[in-house]
Amino acid sequence: RCVLRPEKTHVGKRTRKLAKSFVLSVDTAWKEVVRGIQEHTYTSRKGDCWLSDDMAALYAAVNELPRARRRGGVTFHSVELR
């Protein structure tokens, strides 16, 4: 639920050093990212996450549509840091 603009992001020297032990990937673990959001994102009580199973299924269904049928070329991505 955000737009990442790498060219406008500042990463400090210490963070760059620490980051060498991580790998950033995109669209390789959709189900795991959804599960992580559902387990760790909630307001006042566990289970009240904005990303319901139905909503996650709809996002996945949009990605399966041919690009020409997606309104405005919408695509959903998962971003993974391992």
Side-chain angles (χ1 to χ4, degrees), residues 38-80:
Q38 290 175 329
E39 286 178 16
H40 302 290
T41 305
Y42 52 89
T43 55
S44 58
R45 66 184 191 288
K46 282 194 168 208
D48 67 349
C49 179
W50 64 270
L51 184 55
S52 66
D53 290 337
D54 290 341
M55 183 68 77
L58 289 170
Y59 284 165
V62 167
N63 281 351
E64 292 175 14
L65 289 172
R67 280 199 174 275
R69 294 203 52 215
R70 298 180 198 176
R71 185 176 294 171
V74 170
T75 304
F76 298 99
H77 298 280
S78 62
V79 178
E80 307 90 26

Side-chain angles (χ1 to χ4, degrees), residues 5 7 13 16 21 29 36-37 42 44 74:
R5 301 195 188 278
E7 72 278 2
K13 189 175 182 178
R16 280 195 309 271
S21 62
I37 290 169
Y42 52 89
S44 58
V74 170

